[in-house]
Amino acid sequence: YRKLYNLYQPFLLSLFSVKLTVNGLDKIPTDSNFVLLQNHVSNVDPIVTNYVLEKTPLIFATKKDSFRTPIIGKLMKGLGYIKLERKSGLEDASEIMRAVNLINDGEISLAIYPEGTRNKTFPNPILLDFKEQIFAIIKKTKKPIVISVIQGNEQIKKNLLFKKHKVNVNFYKIIEPEEYCDLSPAQLSEVVKNHMCEILIKNN
């Protein structure tokens, strides 16, 4: 499934006329799996990020409805993506704990959007409120956190097939487990949000 998805992604990015700029790949751990936290502005975000990190066994936590999308939904299921149901906190916890177990077993890295949904009015606000419970679960992994921001994807829906879309992916900072182990989920959420805001405001 991963090989098939990696073949499918360049076609989609070409279809959407995406011109990619990537910074900070040196922030991606090479000796450990990790949790990737990124802002969320478009349905294309996971395709772009997975394309950039195609050599990394990365799975995303995404809304359950996405699994109903033809072809892509089946690929996500085969890749082991995490299903989130906004109305069911217990179901979400169960699914994310499945990902935590996979991470702790060293099998995959996990990408999560701490806003919990797309920011359809980006850049006003520049970030939605973070879901604090996500950070309680992240702390259980005791894995490095990679903070990333993506910009430009929000323009793809405009002039979809008739305009080049410049998309920037920035892997901005890594937070090691020893740096966040004594922080509460609320404190860790604030730290991550401040870092994301800093780079988004700088590049906006």
Side-chain angles (χ1 to χ4, degrees):
Y1 278 101
R2 186 161 296 280
K3 288 180 180 179
L4 181 60
Y5 193 33
N6 287 345
L7 288 172
Y8 190 55
Q9 289 168 150
F11 165 73
L12 287 176
L13 297 184
S14 175
L15 181 66
F16 298 145
S17 299
V18 169
K19 182 179 180 181
L20 263 178
T21 301
V22 182
N23 295 297
L25 277 174
D26 58 313
K27 301 293 193 303
I28 301 297
T30 56
D31 57 351
S32 170
N33 52 351
F34 55 90
V35 178
L36 176 71
L37 297 179
Q38 191 176 68
N39 65 314
H40 193 18
V41 295
S42 166
N43 286 329
V44 185
D45 294 346
I47 297 172
V48 171
T49 304
N50 204 79
Y51 174 76
V52 172
L53 298 178
E54 63 177 336
K55 294 182 180 179
T56 300
L58 185 68
I59 66 172
F60 285 76
T62 187
K63 62 182 181 181
K64 194 173 182 178
D65 289 347
S66 299
F67 287 79
R68 300 189 182 100
T69 306
I71 303 177
I72 294 179
K74 187 173 182 179
L75 281 172
M76 291 193 298
K77 184 177 180 180
L79 290 166
Y81 277 30
I82 304 303
K83 300 178 184 178
L84 298 183
E85 179 59 68
R86 293 176 186 171
K87 295 181 181 179
S88 176
L90 290 176
E91 185 177 334
D92 285 1
S94 175
E95 275 286 279
I96 296 179
M97 283 308 300
R98 176 170 69 85
V100 169
N101 290 334
L102 288 172
I103 292 174
N104 289 340
D105 289 340
E107 294 186 28
I108 55 95
S109 293
L110 174 65
I112 301 178
Y113 299 116
E115 294 168 283
T117 188
R118 280 179 296 145
N119 183 353
K120 298 178 182 179
T121 60
F122 177 86
N124 185 25
I126 203 158
L127 285 171
L128 303 177
D129 291 337
F130 281 9
K131 306 299 182 184
E132 191 176 303
Q133 62 270 28
I134 287 173
F135 293 88
I137 295 171
I138 290 172
K139 282 175 61 68
K140 295 180 184 296
T141 70
K142 299 179 181 178
K143 296 290 183 177
I145 295 172
V146 177
I147 300 174
S148 172
V149 297
I150 189 166
Q151 293 170 278
N153 270 1
E154 72 280 0
Q155 298 296 325
I156 289 177
K157 62 184 178 182
K158 302 175 183 178
N159 301 312
L160 181 61
L161 302 177
F162 305 101
K163 184 180 178 181
K164 287 283 186 183
H165 299 97
K166 296 180 180 179
V167 176
N168 300 312
V169 181
N170 193 319
F171 301 100
Y172 175 61
K173 184 176 179 63
I174 185 168
I175 304 178
E176 297 291 352
E178 57 268 23
E179 296 180 73
Y180 69 75
C181 63
D182 293 329
L183 299 179
S184 69
Q187 289 171 325
L188 181 56
S189 173
E190 184 177 2
V191 167
V192 172
K193 189 170 186 178
N194 286 342
H195 282 306
M196 279 192 188
C197 280
E198 180 180 350
I199 190 65
L200 285 168
I201 292 170
K202 180 180 178 181
N203 292 340
N204 191 37

